[in-house]
Amino acid sequence: MSGEPILSVRDLVVEFRTEHGTVRAVDRVSFDVFPNETVGLVGESGCGKTVTGLAILGLIPNPPGRIASGSIRLAGRELVGLPEGELRKLRGREMAMIFQEPMTALNPVFTIGSQMIDILRRYKGLSRGQARAAAIELLAKVGIPAPAQRIDEYPHQLSGGMRQRVVIAMALSCDPKLIVADEPTTALDVTTQAQVLEQIVRLQQEFRMAMILVTHDLGVVAETCQRALVMYCGRVAEKADIAPLFAHPRHPYTAGLLQSLPRVGQQAHQDLPVIPGMVPDLLDLPAGCRFAERCARRDARCDRELPELDGEADSPSRVACFHPL
Amino acid sequence: MTPLLEVRNLKKHFPVRGGLLRRVVAQVRAVDGVSFSLAAGQTLGLVGESGCGKSTLGRAILQLQRPTSGEVLLDGTELTTLDPRGLHAMRRSMQIIFQDPYASLSPRRTVAQTIREPLEVHGIGTPAERERRVEELLGVVGMRTAVMDRYPHEFSGGQRQRIGIARALALDPKLIVADEPVSALDVSVRAQVLNLIARLQREMGIAFLFISHDLSVVEHVSDRVGVMYLGRIVEMAPAQELYRQPRHPYTEALLSAVPVPDPTRKARRIVLGGDVPSPMNPPPGCPFHLRCPKVMETCRSVTPPVVEVGTSGASHQVACHLHA
């Protein structure tokens, strides 16, 4: 990793008010993202990975949600507490988001061309003709065949994979420093997913962007990220470079997740190792380690105390466990 | 030995209506000539991408959607021509587990009511016997009987899927069609439900038709696997053989596209160009030829026949001109 991080998240806490009380969806999460790298945020539903991504973009719906404390710095600039108007200027130019469902980002009543040209004119001050040429070039970059024709089509005329490419092209259109991609290929079929992931990796390198990839799929993380944070119940359980994370997971939760995956080519008809039980309710969290009741390495201390990430803040591998593997 | 389930040249076409008079202007060939057999107590996995017809095939077999043509024999009884009363009786032997555990249970029925319903519909047992059966089924799927009077919204996705499985088991079926049963579940819960399904199969000898888009899950649970593309099975083989020695170029591409949770294994990926063609207007010849990296001249006009390529004694069928 080189130089200064492009994004620095410190002790981020995001809370949501619900009928039954306040839920802490993200609980003191810290990490950095450097230029030209992809960091994975992995975990199961409700672990806080998506909320973390939304918080970075300033997209937490308020009410019911709010960033309760912590700091998010993009290229040195503090984003927490920034007025909505300022954030809106940053979104698109400095940072962009790719959602799971491409139709959430596309307007069905306009052609993809008019939507892209709009963005390019507003943010880059291009003329209509220049913007159209730039849009066609971007569509070609994300691998859309016959972009000069496709640009005049409506979103419904494109397949799911093509739509997601258009969204990626739109996200790239203003050369953002950071892209947050939230399950960008989860709604796609495997062969299409392979195409789009390959494209994302290639573009990320070409544009030398920083990217945060939010996903539940450990396979996708292994193939696209350099580093990852494994989240559980709003907290970071473990963070590490990809190779050691998969070869020697230190948190029992990470290890359990990896073991419970059926793998192509593995001996079939044997029971899969499971993580017993289920994720605790965020409204009714245990006092100690949140993974304790599902953990084989649990002892009395785990029930009493909440483990913090070990080691130095900038060390490459950290785990929040009293009895790591 | 006669197979439990035999499917012969099954087709399900949906008419597309258009124009002022709502005339039939086209047909969606969702399932377009599928044949296979399934022995008692075995699992056949069906994989394919969205729109390949795998779910429609499952429903057409159960007669939830009446097939356009072809035959479905369950225990020797032809289902496609049965009258409603005959079909009702046969439904005892065949059940389905759905993908979405949030949509497949009635929010107004308690767990006990949900599991008991099939017993009541088929008039099995006295109320006291049904009650005992519900308790027994909850035990089988690993839930406590204390949950009997609770409602679905009180449970997590994995627990709801267990309730759905208990309901499917209530009538001691011989065949269960499981349509993406773990796709909506988180990784750590998915393994629990997969192990449950595997155990039921071992202990109760139920045959499963296991439909999924997830190749690693299908390999894990299946004895044999069929790969579907545009309404047809393009390759079918014993699970391990299919994964080790895929013969159809589509199967090869599909397998190579699965992201592997191992950063040291850099996949040699076959990236397919283009998208799946519309089943309303399938291409002539081989349905895969527009995307096939190994396409030949004949593929564009001649539909490849299904040929036997098995070398290990077990049947390995493929519909591809490379092997014809």
Side-chain angles (χ1 to χ4, degrees), chain A residues 44-45 189 191 195 265 272 275, chain B residues 49-50 186 192 195 219 272:
Chain A
E44 301 180 283
S45 357
D189 277 316
T191 56
Q195 296 169 4
L272 289 166
I275 301 175
Chain B
E49 300 182 279
S50 31
D186 268 321
Q192 296 174 5
N195 285 348
E219 185 194 19
L272 291 177

Side-chain angles (χ1 to χ4, degrees), chain B:
Chain B
M1 192 179 99
T2 51
L4 172 72
L5 174 71
E6 187 142 21
V7 175
R8 291 183 195 145
N9 202 19
L10 194 68
K11 293 187 181 176
K12 176 67 191 174
H13 295 178
F14 294 97
V16 178
R17 290 173 191 278
L20 201 58
L21 301 171
R22 314 294 300 151
R23 271 198 284 246
V24 175
V25 293
Q27 297 280 344
V28 172
R29 298 157 178 262
V31 177
D32 204 19
V34 166
S35 305
F36 66 85
S37 59
L38 174 60
Q42 297 277 298
T43 295
L44 175 68
L46 271 183
V47 287
E49 300 182 279
S50 31
C52 73
K54 55 193 191 299
S55 288
T56 304
L57 175 58
R59 280 153 206 253
I61 288 168
L62 296 181
Q63 310 299 307
L64 295 173
Q65 281 168 337
R66 286 300 195 129
T68 308
S69 66
E71 292 168 40
V72 178
L73 285 97
L74 183 66
D75 248 354
T77 306
E78 159 69 311
L79 301 181
T80 58
T81 53
L82 272 187
D83 59 14
R85 185 188 294 184
L87 197 52
H88 178 79
M90 286 305 287
R91 289 207 184 284
R92 278 187 68 166
S93 309
M94 50 186 193
Q95 293 289 318
I96 185 164
I97 303 169
F98 294 98
Q99 167 172 5
D100 187 349
Y102 293 86
S104 57
L105 301 176
S106 166
R108 296 203 187 86
R109 286 173 193 271
T110 63
V111 171
Q113 284 169 335
T114 296
I115 298 174
R116 199 164 56 213
E117 189 184 15
L119 300 169
E120 289 166 351
V121 168
H122 287 273
I124 294 164
T126 63
E129 282 164 358
R130 288 175 195 160
E131 205 67 16
R132 271 202 303 281
R133 178 77 177 136
V134 171
E135 287 176 18
E136 186 191 356
L137 287 164
L138 281 171
V140 169
V141 297
M143 291 183 78
R144 284 170 293 123
T145 52
V147 305
M148 279 180 40
D149 296 319
R150 288 164 61 183
Y151 289 88
H153 74 264
E154 299 176 63
F155 297 96
S156 67
Q159 288 174 310
R160 284 183 209 214
Q161 205 54 298
R162 289 174 192 268
I163 297 167
I165 292 171
R167 176 177 60 184
L169 293 174
L171 297 168
D172 276 327
K174 293 175 179 155
L175 170 71
I176 291 181
V177 173
D179 189 358
E180 302 272 11
V182 297
S183 304
L185 305 178
D186 268 321
V187 182
S188 72
V189 178
R190 195 166 68 182
Q192 296 174 5
V193 174
L194 283 176
N195 285 348
L196 172 63
I197 290 175
R199 183 167 60 79
L200 294 176
Q201 165 149 61
R202 275 198 310 267
E203 292 172 5
M204 304 177 149
I206 301 168
F208 275 84
L209 184 65
F210 193 100
I211 299 166
S212 177
H213 71 284
D214 187 325
L215 287 107
S216 47
V217 167
V218 166
E219 185 194 19
H220 185 75
V221 297
S222 305
D223 299 294
R224 292 174 65 73
V225 175
V227 180
M228 278 188 84
Y229 190 80
L230 271 188
R232 301 186 196 173
I233 292 182
V234 296
E235 182 163 12
M236 177 136 62
Q240 293 189 7
E241 190 173 317
L242 184 94
Y243 285 78
R244 281 191 200 129
Q245 292 171 299
R247 299 296 192 92
H248 197 287
Y250 178 62
T251 312
E252 287 177 18
L254 203 56
L255 287 171
S256 80
V258 180
V260 185
D262 179 358
T264 58
R265 229 185 74 181
K266 281 288 166 233
R268 283 160 306 162
R269 180 149 296 157
I270 306 163
V271 174
L272 291 177
D275 290 306
V276 183
S278 161
M280 222 157 81
N281 187 18
C286 173
F288 186 57
H289 84 254
L290 292 171
R291 306 174 75 196
C292 183
K294 297 177 181 170
V295 64
M296 305 178 293
E297 206 41 52
T298 46
C299 308
R300 300 183 210 275
S301 52
V302 184
T303 307
V306 176
V307 292
E308 185 60 58
V309 293
T311 47
S312 61
S315 164
H316 185 156
Q317 295 176 323
V318 61
C320 176
H321 286 301
L322 287 172
H323 304 287

Side-chain angles (χ1 to χ4, degrees), chain A residues 40 59 66 77 124-125 175 178 205 228 231 255 267 269 311:
Chain A
L59 292 173
R66 69 185 184 107
R77 184 176 182 189
K124 285 194 136 176
D175 299 319
L178 173 75
Q205 286 163 358
M231 294 185 68
Q267 192 58 43
H269 284 299

